[in-house]
Amino acid sequence: MEKKNIIIIGAAGRDFHNFNTVYRNNEAYNVVAFTATQIPDIDGRKYPSELAGELYPEGIPIYSQDQLPELIEELDVDECIFAYSDIGYEDVMGIGAIVNAAGANFTLLGSKGTQLKSNKPVISVCAVRTGTGKSQTSRKIIETLLEHDLKVVAIRHPMPYGDLNAQRVQRFATVEDLKKHNCTIEEMEEYEPHVARGNIIYAGVDYADILAAAENDPDGCDVILWDGGNNDFSFIKPDLAVTVLDPHRPGHELKYYPGEVSLRTADVSIINKIDSATKEAIEIVENNIKFAAPASTIIKAESKITVDNPEIVAGKRVLVVEDGPTLTHGEMKIGAGSVAAERLGAKEIVNAKPFAVGTIVDTYNKYPHIGNILPAMGYGEQQLKDLEETINNADCDAVIIGTPMDLTRIININKPSTRVHYDLDEVGNPNLGEILKGFIQEHELTKSNSL
């Protein structure tokens, strides 16, 4: 039987995982290329032979998604596998039309062939859109389990933007590990809040190896927590699936891929940010949960915001820096920093665009909806330099940092700045404490399990 030629359409995450779990050792297929989008400077590399396996001694080239029609023809491609997340259905099928028009089949892989099975109980935290509050939900779950003397090891959705071989399995236990692994801002935003609290978190490229390392972590492991990225569904089969929804984007839970998958498979659905959303928007989200996941337990929560130095905000002209992916492909126009500026009575949120340089200008051009806010882009050294220069160029009294990590640790800011922190605060019942108590009882978890 002749092998089928395959292209995997991705963004340096789900694409590699789909290859590893479905195609790496499968002689019925020949993966001729990956394509990449969303993340700068990913295309032009190779998925290395050490990760690709014996069937691919030369590795697999990574091209820009813009080249897809030509690649399908030149490489005689039979099938294209769509493998990235947080994308509207119209855009998904637009890519599908490009693929079909070039003569190839267009495929979306489901959980059956791609989810790994753990020998530990697993809780997954996913979302319907980027920037809903997955990380604060993950932290709340971990803190609750720690109160029961359980060892929790987190595994984060991949962000392998550097040396793929070196990033095969990454373990983060301290802030110093972030530097050791040459993390981008996006990676630090996700890992730093965990390690700052003393939690262990794994990430990388090969999630079978990552899962095995997490299960056998030297500090012990009772529970695996999947800390999802974008709105992708879990790489690991969950025993308890938690999905977070955002009433600032009501209706998106039924319009984006694969966010609706995460919603439809949820055991628990958390409507976050109800303290800053309208009643009508909250009702839309709640009704959509009841439509798509009627058996899901609904929890409502506030995104509780605290500011390190509120005195530098009140009455001042402030520059607001927010989490990059939330503003870019997450399509949000505000974040925690913007909310903090409003609540603390800032005189003005200064428009960052006139002060932007280099790759920050490119970001604004690509995502014109962003408005006055500055996205914390930092996928490489040049973007970090451009971000620093943009901030320091700005005519403002102070800078509000709404990113989950300490931005001042990696760039120099020449004006007063303050960090915004945000935590999940459930309102009423049911709540995560009750849900997790049942989970602990169901899996007969005790503090002696990992000893």
Side-chain angles (χ1 to χ4, degrees):
M1 185 175 176
E2 190 174 343
K3 287 186 176 185
K4 284 187 176 181
N5 288 337
I6 301 288
I7 286 177
I8 302 180
I9 304 169
R14 162 67 67 175
D15 47 354
F16 298 154
H17 179 69
N18 282 357
F19 171 80
N20 293 340
T21 53
V22 177
Y23 300 104
R24 178 161 53 191
N25 300 311
N26 192 333
E27 296 193 359
Y29 299 96
N30 179 33
V31 177
V32 295
F34 291 94
T35 65
T37 190
Q38 289 188 343
I39 310 302
D41 303 321
I42 293 296
D43 55 288
R45 299 191 300 167
K46 272 193 173 186
Y47 194 65
S49 59
E50 295 88 341
L51 289 166
E54 294 180 359
L55 298 178
Y56 301 92
E58 303 299 320
I60 304 170
I62 304 172
Y63 299 96
S64 170
Q65 185 179 296
D66 296 338
Q67 300 173 257
L68 191 56
E70 293 81 9
L71 291 169
I72 292 171
E73 181 178 357
E74 292 170 7
L75 301 175
D76 191 23
V77 172
D78 301 294
E79 188 173 0
C80 291
I81 313 302
F82 184 82
Y84 62 96
S85 54
D86 207 38
I87 180 168
Y89 288 150
E90 185 175 338
D91 293 326
V92 173
M93 293 317 300
I95 297 168
I98 291 170
V99 170
N100 287 168
N105 296 332
F106 184 69
T107 300
L108 304 171
L109 297 182
S111 59
K112 186 175 181 179
T114 62
Q115 281 189 333
L116 304 168
K117 185 70 177 75
S118 177
N119 60 30
K120 303 287 185 180
V122 176
I123 300 173
S124 66
V125 179
C126 299
V128 297
R129 291 303 314 276
T130 294
T132 58
K134 293 181 305 296
S135 296
Q136 58 189 270
T137 303
S138 295
R139 295 196 303 269
K140 183 64 176 282
I141 290 172
I142 290 172
E143 288 163 4
T144 303
L145 293 174
L146 290 175
E147 290 172 1
H148 290 270
D149 294 320
L150 296 171
K151 300 273 190 180
V152 186
V153 177
I155 298 178
R156 181 60 170 70
H157 189 275
M159 295 181 284
Y161 306 141
D163 182 333
L164 297 178
N165 274 326
Q167 293 178 306
R168 183 171 194 148
V169 178
Q170 297 172 295
R171 180 181 187 268
F172 301 93
T174 66
V175 171
E176 287 71 29
D177 289 333
L178 304 176
K179 184 175 181 180
K180 170 185 171 184
H181 291 288
N182 297 312
C183 289
T184 64
I185 281 184
E186 186 185 1
E187 291 171 286
M188 286 186 276
E189 285 177 340
E190 300 301 337
Y191 306 150
E192 187 172 308
H194 282 286
V195 300
R197 288 167 167 79
N199 304 330
I200 304 298
I201 185 164
Y202 282 82
V205 180
D206 193 322
Y207 275 76
D209 288 353
I210 289 167
L211 177 59
E215 291 168 339
N216 296 285
D217 188 80
D219 289 347
C221 175
D222 294 314
V223 178
I224 296 288
L225 183 132
W226 173 260
D227 187 353
N230 287 352
N231 56 354
D232 205 352
F233 55 91
S234 178
F235 288 11
I236 305 165
K237 184 175 177 58
D239 300 290
L240 177 67
V242 178
T243 297
V244 189
L245 300 96
D246 187 353
H248 287 279
R249 290 168 282 182
H252 284 209
E253 56 275 359
L254 300 182
K255 297 179 180 178
Y256 281 76
Y257 180 81
E260 188 175 343
V261 177
S262 296
L263 172 57
R264 288 182 175 274
T265 54
D267 299 307
V268 178
S269 297
I270 298 177
I271 306 176
N272 195 19
K273 307 179 188 176
I274 65 168
D275 51 326
S276 56
T278 65
K279 180 181 178 182
E280 292 76 16
I282 294 167
E283 288 178 353
I284 290 170
V285 173
E286 186 168 5
N287 287 335
N288 284 340
I289 294 170
K290 292 174 180 177
F291 164 74
S296 175
T297 298
I298 298 176
I299 293 175
K300 294 181 180 178
E302 298 178 349
S303 186
K304 186 178 178 182
I305 291 175
T306 57
V307 181
D308 286 343
N309 307 105
E311 67 278 0
I312 74 169
V313 177
K316 302 295 177 60
R317 299 173 64 254
V318 298
L319 180 76
V320 176
V321 186
E322 302 280 21
D323 168 61
T326 298
L327 295 183
T328 54
H329 54 266
E331 300 175 304
M332 284 287 282
K333 295 182 180 180
I334 65 169
S338 310
V339 174
E342 181 181 348
R343 290 182 181 176
L344 293 172
K347 180 180 179 181
E348 177 190 350
I349 294 179
V350 172
N351 185 358
K353 287 183 181 178
F355 308 103
V357 300
T359 56
I360 306 300
V361 175
D362 297 338
T363 299
Y364 280 124
N365 290 338
K366 186 174 181 179
Y367 302 98
H369 70 271
I370 290 176
N372 290 356
I373 309 304
L374 177 61
M377 306 301 290
Y379 291 108
E381 186 176 339
Q382 187 58 52
Q383 275 197 330
L384 273 179
K385 289 179 179 177
D386 292 343
L387 179 65
E388 179 180 87
E389 186 174 346
T390 299
I391 293 173
N392 291 337
N393 284 346
D395 178 15
C396 63
D397 301 317
V399 178
I400 297 178
I401 300 172
T403 65
M405 50 83 63
D406 183 5
L407 200 56
T408 63
R409 191 171 52 75
I410 57 171
I411 64 174
N412 295 313
I413 297 177
N414 65 2
K415 45 185 68 73
S417 65
T418 186
R419 285 187 68 192
V420 176
H421 306 273
Y422 30 100
D423 295 290
L424 192 80
D425 189 12
E426 301 115 293
V427 176
N429 294 305
N431 58 53
L432 282 173
E434 296 168 353
I435 298 291
L436 293 173
K437 184 176 180 181
F439 177 84
I440 290 167
Q441 292 172 345
E442 178 185 353
H443 293 278
E444 299 179 343
L445 293 169
T446 67
K447 63 181 180 181
S448 62
N449 282 11
S450 64
L451 300 178

